[in-house]
Amino acid sequence: MPIRLNDLKEAGRALLRAPGMSGSAILCLVLGLGVTTAIFSAVNRALLQRLPFTDPDRLVTVYRTTPHFDTGPHAAPNFRDLAAGSHQLQGMAAATPISALLTFPDASAQVSAYRVTANLFQLLGVTAEAGRLLVPADDDPGEALSVVLSDRLWRSRFGADPAVVGRPILVDGAERLVAGVAPPDFRIPNGGRMIDADLWLPMRFSDGEIAERGSNYLSVIGRLAPGATVATADAELKRLFDGLTQNFPFLKGESIRVLSMQTEGARTVRAPLLLLFGAVGFVLLIASTNVASLLLARGVHRRRELAVRVALGADRWAVMRPVLAESLLLAGTGMLLGLGVALAGVRTIGKLAGQFLPQVAGLTIDPWVVGFSVGLTLVVAVLCGAVPAWRSSAVDPQEALSGGRGGGASRRQHRALELLVIGEVALSLVLLLGAALVLKGFAGLLRREPGFDPAPLLTLDVTISPAAYPKGDQVARFLEPALEGIRAIPGVTAAGAISLMPYDNWGWNFGIRYEGQSSDGASQRPLVERRLVTPGFFATTGQRLLSGRALAAGDDERPEAPAVVVVNQALVDRDFPNQDPIGRRFYVGDESFATIVGVVTNIRNFGPVEAPRPEVYWNYRQAGDGSSGFPIIVRVGRGDPNAVARAVEAAIRAVDPGAAVSKVRPMTQVISDSVGRPRFYLSLLGLFAGVALVLSMAGLYGVLSYSVAQRTREIGVRTALGSTPAQTVGLMARQGLGLVGAGLVAGLLGGAGLTRLLGSLLYGVSPLDWPTWAVATAALALAGVLAAMVPAWRATRVDPIVAMRTE
């Protein structure tokens, strides 16, 4: 017979008569169910939910592979040839990010934008929130310039006004008609990132882009044709690209890789999220163990009641049912309150991870998450109640009703409780070891030398309208005068610009070929990161000149000025070990060269996770006159660099009132943001380890307190016969310390296997790093000693006379 409503009512009344036990059990379950549900929402969002596109299982991501990487972008002509020749894909679309200036009557704003082939939205099968999306005709140069707004930009900048559709807006100084608004939360997974933008612009390849097969910048997706599979599409595109390498030998060594978009989009977060889900599962298991312990202890006090039931002819299920009803009621209450904890957790996770883990952006408690929580509650109720219910149903009526203490049954109950506590301690140690190892790896990241002192540096991004500089003289007319104005600000000691802000974790690279080397095997050439800087950049960051000279104002666009670069020490170490690189040349065209004139110290342009990569620095004047976005770094002499932020913005707008200034942050914040993902994982793992530690110590304390209460008469007799307080403490503490010791041994054995799964989160720390293991084990042992000593000390407070009267 199943559990009935009357059983639940009776269980509720019984639990109200034991508020201490009930409150403790519910608190444990609220924490366990709440955090588990919150993490499941992230797992559900990133790994389980189907993409919001038509037939998302038919969508694929198409990568270009080289000997250096297997998730690379494509060149425009190669993409067009593949799209035209493929029969396994019914369509292919491409996208590339840009930064755009959106001009309003009263201000300008830098916004993220993507140029996309205009068939992108049709390929995905999405519909507009308002108006229409891009269509293939929008790629026709003869058509009016169009743009699609993101839902968030439409709401934040245009007040969700549907009348904006069909109106012109100024993008990079040119009028574009608003075709429509993309659906809410529209973004496309692409490996470890998301293709997401405020503006979506038609691609409209230029003649130069169509002719350049060596410039790779396009992210490509496709849709499988009817009957096609990922494998057949992969084989076909590989074959088509092999044909391209026959016609263009410099592409030799490159190929194609086709992957399912649904699974590939979560590739970089799958392992960490599953590890976190496993960790929070440990927390829930510990919480459930605590509740089971409480119910077991409660079962001893109810032995007489249950014995009466058995004596009156109740079968085993009838005896078990009240205990299971209490467990179900506790778990249900824990679930309802835990959903509140989960909601707070979802908001916190969304806030912490939105910037670093776009796959989990927009977390919510949706029906799937609620269903998971309900199902989990039923499982927890069974886990919590099964052992106590079975033990309760095994009561001996004659022994229980005779007034005996039931030593045999009591010992069995104690053994079950002790095994549960040992399991709790073991699980807690595994979590504590994981958190300690991740913490050590994270601390190592923060200690890695960035290559400069970030404290006095202010960073910002500036975007200007290309239409305001039709001759392509942005550097001469804007950047250099703006930097001069910034340097004139009191307190500013230096200012410079670089094409990509250090620690932004992405780059612009090329395969370098030095003078005298063969032109064959372009894809085999060593990669070098390309940076454009102003001559004052190295003085701004504090990079030291190791040999040669720095870039100078004379290294400009004049025909008589030779092309020169400064390289970093990482390039010298790789390409010129024990050699002088000054004067060495590399190809920048078929017959033109750039000459290395100086070597500077390394900076970590890709953040602390990676070692500095080989880099070459060009003067903006020689290589970047067409830029419209300029990351700027400002050095102050003393104090907070934020103090000059307003003056810096004023100096910029004094040169170009229409310029947009964004991302104004001290360099210390830029560095901090670069480790946001490992910090997020560490924060959650550390939180789970802390909760697990508290729960397991609470379980140990509860079992020992229960043991003291059960042995009150024995303690009183010992005291009356002359046992000293120290002897009493030793007697009771040995039991607790024995449990802690057994749990530590089990935890060390489990940790030896499970911590190996943390490899991607440890950043150079060995999973078996013995100092970390020693500290974590000692910390848990100390906590266990404290949890064991308090009940032991309470045992010395027993009054022998009162104890002797206790039944």
Side-chain angles (χ1 to χ4, degrees):
M1 183 183 297
I3 295 174
R4 300 165 300 188
L5 181 60
N6 285 338
D7 294 322
L8 294 176
K9 290 180 179 179
E10 183 180 340
R13 288 191 292 267
L15 292 175
L16 289 175
R17 290 194 295 269
M21 186 281 294
S22 303
S24 299
I26 290 172
L27 179 60
C28 290
L29 291 173
V30 166
L31 290 174
L33 290 169
V35 295
T36 304
T37 302
I39 294 299
F40 175 77
S41 71
V43 171
N44 179 55
R45 178 76 172 185
L47 306 182
L48 303 179
Q49 280 188 357
R50 286 167 57 86
L51 297 173
F53 309 129
T54 301
D55 295 329
D57 295 336
R58 308 295 295 170
L59 294 172
V60 295
T61 304
V62 182
Y63 292 116
R64 163 179 147 267
T65 67
T66 76
H68 302 291
F69 46 77
D70 58 4
T71 57
H74 299 261
N78 298 336
F79 157 72
R80 285 160 60 95
D81 289 345
L82 292 174
S86 176
H87 299 289
Q88 293 294 306
L89 297 179
Q90 68 182 41
M92 292 175 65
T96 186
I98 60 173
S99 180
L101 184 72
L102 187 58
T103 304
F104 297 94
D106 56 343
S108 298
Q110 177 186 351
V111 295
S112 60
Y114 260 86
R115 292 173 59 204
V116 300
T117 52
N119 67 330
L120 173 73
F121 296 99
Q122 290 184 352
L123 188 76
L124 295 173
V126 295
T127 56
E129 176 80 355
R132 67 170 178 85
L133 302 175
L134 297 179
V135 295
D138 288 309
D139 265 336
D140 186 344
E143 294 292 323
L145 292 172
S146 56
V147 62
V148 169
L149 308 178
S150 72
D151 178 77
R152 64 174 176 269
L153 182 69
W154 180 51
R155 295 181 185 280
S156 63
R157 291 283 183 173
F158 298 96
D161 181 6
V164 73
V165 175
R167 291 181 183 174
I169 60 174
L170 280 178
V171 180
D172 287 337
E175 280 195 351
R176 288 180 176 268
L177 293 178
V178 176
V181 179
D185 296 326
F186 174 74
R187 51 185 177 269
I188 309 165
N190 187 252
R193 64 189 180 94
M194 287 284 181
I195 296 175
D196 187 12
D198 294 314
L199 298 177
W200 302 88
L201 316 175
M203 183 71 73
R204 297 196 179 184
F205 291 118
S206 67
D207 292 340
E209 288 177 312
I210 293 174
E212 182 51 69
R213 290 187 181 270
S215 180
N216 298 286
Y217 57 95
L218 295 175
S219 299
V220 174
I221 65 172
R223 179 175 287 278
L224 295 172
T229 66
V230 173
T232 59
D234 182 75
E236 180 191 55
L237 292 185
K238 279 183 167 67
R239 186 172 61 254
L240 290 173
F241 200 88
D242 288 343
L244 292 179
T245 62
Q246 298 298 318
N247 297 326
F248 306 98
F250 69 89
L251 295 176
K252 187 176 181 180
E254 299 183 12
S255 188
I256 297 296
R257 184 177 181 226
V258 180
L259 297 171
S260 166
M261 181 189 290
Q262 181 74 48
T263 56
E264 171 63 7
R267 172 177 51 86
T268 59
V269 298
R270 180 177 289 106
L273 283 180
L274 290 179
L275 281 170
L276 288 176
F277 192 57
V280 80
F282 277 18
V283 173
L284 179 59
L285 192 54
I286 293 171
S288 301
T289 301
N290 266 357
V291 176
S293 299
L294 290 169
L295 290 176
L296 268 174
R298 175 170 167 75
V300 173
H301 293 290
R302 300 179 65 188
R303 292 178 68 246
R304 288 178 177 274
E305 170 199 339
L306 298 174
V308 170
R309 290 175 180 262
V310 174
L312 292 176
D315 60 16
R316 171 157 279 186
W317 170 245
V319 177
M320 292 175 61
R321 199 168 60 216
V323 181
L324 290 174
E326 290 184 8
S327 176
L328 181 60
L329 195 59
L330 289 172
T333 305
M335 181 204 71
L336 293 176
L337 298 177
L339 284 175
V341 173
L343 182 59
V346 161
R347 290 174 177 172
T348 302
I349 292 171
K351 184 177 180 181
L352 287 175
Q355 180 180 355
F356 314 112
L357 295 172
Q359 294 88 344
V360 301
L363 287 183
T364 57
I365 301 292
D366 60 24
W368 284 104
V369 175
V370 174
F372 167 82
S373 185
V374 172
L376 188 63
T377 299
L378 295 175
V379 172
V380 167
V382 173
L383 288 176
C384 292
V387 173
W390 184 263
R391 289 287 186 187
S392 298
S393 67
V395 66
D396 181 350
Q398 182 176 355
E399 186 275 332
L401 293 174
S402 67
R405 302 277 318 163
S410 180
R411 283 194 295 272
R412 288 195 298 271
Q413 298 278 28
H414 279 300
R415 282 197 295 271
L417 287 170
E418 289 168 354
L419 288 174
L420 291 176
V421 171
I422 290 171
E424 289 185 82
V425 174
L427 293 174
S428 296
L429 181 57
V430 173
L431 274 183
L432 200 60
L433 284 170
L437 289 168
V438 173
L439 174 61
K440 186 169 184 177
F442 182 74
L445 284 184
L446 297 182
R447 286 194 301 268
R448 291 180 182 177
E449 177 59 46
F452 56 90
D453 180 10
L457 302 181
L458 180 73
T459 71
L460 59 146
D461 284 352
V462 182
T463 305
I464 57 176
S465 170
Y469 303 87
K471 297 181 180 180
D473 53 359
Q474 292 96 320
V475 172
R477 287 182 51 209
F478 169 74
L479 182 59
E480 292 176 346
L483 291 176
E484 288 178 9
I486 293 171
R487 295 186 191 110
I489 297 171
V492 172
T493 59
I498 183 172
S499 52
L500 295 171
M501 187 67 71
Y503 277 76
D504 260 6
N505 298 331
W506 63 288
W508 181 8
N509 55 48
F510 66 97
I512 194 167
R513 179 166 72 101
Y514 293 102
E515 184 177 15
Q517 292 181 340
S518 170
S519 61
D520 295 336
S523 63
Q524 309 288 334
R525 297 171 188 166
L527 293 180
V528 173
E529 298 299 322
R530 182 175 186 263
R531 298 288 185 268
L532 312 180
V533 297
T534 54
F537 178 78
F538 302 128
T540 305
T541 60
Q543 288 174 265
R544 292 181 293 109
L545 185 67
L546 300 177
S547 64
R549 70 172 179 86
L551 297 175
D555 302 322
D556 55 22
E557 67 274 17
R558 292 172 300 147
E560 62 270 23
V564 297
V565 299
V566 168
V567 301
N568 69 345
Q569 183 62 43
L571 183 141
V572 176
D573 292 340
R574 186 192 68 182
D575 295 348
F576 303 103
N578 303 316
Q579 300 178 50
D580 183 7
I582 304 302
R584 294 294 298 268
R585 303 197 302 176
F586 61 87
Y587 287 92
V588 293
D590 292 336
E591 298 180 354
S592 58
F593 299 91
T595 303
I596 298 174
V597 297
V599 180
V600 294
T601 53
N602 298 324
I603 61 176
R604 292 183 180 271
N605 269 316
F606 282 78
V609 175
E610 295 190 34
R613 297 186 187 181
E615 296 175 340
V616 298
Y617 295 92
W618 296 77
N619 189 331
Y620 260 112
R621 284 276 198 163
Q622 286 195 338
D625 222 24
S627 301
S628 59
F630 301 98
I632 291 176
I633 301 178
V634 180
R635 174 179 285 272
V636 299
R638 66 173 65 90
D640 182 2
N642 281 318
V644 300
R646 289 182 178 272
V648 168
E649 292 189 41
I652 291 169
R653 293 202 170 94
V655 178
D656 186 340
V661 179
S662 62
K663 296 183 180 179
V664 182
R665 301 172 291 171
M667 178 60 78
T668 52
Q669 182 63 47
V670 176
I671 294 177
S672 177
D673 290 345
S674 73
V675 293
R677 180 173 291 194
R679 180 187 292 109
F680 169 72
Y681 293 138
L682 170 63
S683 299
L684 288 183
L685 195 58
L687 173 64
F688 300 155
V691 172
L693 179 62
V694 171
L695 289 175
S696 62
M697 292 305 100
L700 176 62
Y701 174 84
V703 167
L704 294 180
S705 295
Y706 167 73
S707 179
V708 169
Q710 290 293 103
R711 300 175 69 179
T712 298
R713 187 171 185 177
E714 174 193 344
I715 295 169
V717 171
R718 288 177 178 272
T719 303
L721 294 176
S723 178
T724 66
Q727 290 173 326
T728 302
V729 168
L731 173 69
M732 303 308 301
R734 276 195 296 273
Q735 179 187 4
L737 297 181
L739 297 179
V740 172
L744 291 178
V745 171
L748 290 172
L749 294 175
L754 293 176
T755 54
R756 296 178 185 274
L757 301 176
L758 295 171
S760 62
L761 304 180
L762 298 186
Y763 303 103
V765 176
S766 168
L768 298 178
D769 182 70
W770 72 264
T772 306
W773 279 62
V775 170
T777 305
L780 185 56
L782 179 59
V785 168
L786 294 176
M789 293 303 292
V790 173
W793 175 81
R794 287 177 57 194
T796 66
R797 314 290 290 178
V798 173
D799 185 332
I801 297 178
V802 174
M804 296 285 287
R805 294 173 179 170
T806 301
E807 186 265 327

